[in-house]
Amino acid sequence: MNICPLCNGFRELLLYCENCGGKLEDKGKMMDYFGAYSPYMEIDLMKRIDGYPSTLSRHECAHLFYCLHCGNEQTQFIKE
Ligand SMILES: [Zn+2]
Ligand SMILES: [Zn+2]
């Protein structure tokens, strides 16, 4: 069984916004967001995941990072 260190609080990942250089906040596992927001948001997330190899087969956990300064969102794949 693979465990994501971020989901389990073992580790914190410090990332910076590619737009403004501000600190990004971990919004959690991306899969948790499906169905949680408006249809527009879901489609947007689907598009972003589309084209990536399956995160399940690679044992990677997709996390959504959000910039508190400019509202930029970045997806980061965490090795489990
Ligand atoms: Zn995770
Ligand atoms: Zn930013």
Side-chain angles (χ1 to χ4, degrees), residues 17 19-20 67 70 72:
C17 177
N19 282 346
C20 73
C67 176
C70 73
N72 181 40

Side-chain angles (χ1 to χ4, degrees), residues 16-63:
Y16 295 95
C17 177
E18 48 190 29
N19 282 346
C20 73
K23 195 181 160 192
L24 295 179
E25 190 180 77
D26 183 8
K27 300 298 280 183
K29 207 171 178 172
M30 189 187 252
M31 289 304 166
D32 292 345
Y33 283 82
F34 283 107
Y37 284 94
S38 69
Y40 173 79
M41 187 73 175
E42 282 180 48
I43 290 163
D44 190 45
L45 287 175
M46 298 274 232
K47 270 195 215 154
R48 275 194 249 175
I49 283 181
D50 202 35
Y52 286 108
S54 166
T55 56
L56 287 175
S57 64
R58 288 172 65 197
H59 299 298
E60 285 179 344
C61 185
H63 276 252

Side-chain angles (χ1 to χ4, degrees), residues 4 7 11 19 32-33 59 72 78-80:
C4 169
C7 286
R11 194 160 62 99
N19 282 346
D32 292 345
Y33 283 82
H59 299 298
N72 181 40
I78 312 299
K79 265 220 166 302
E80 296 188 338

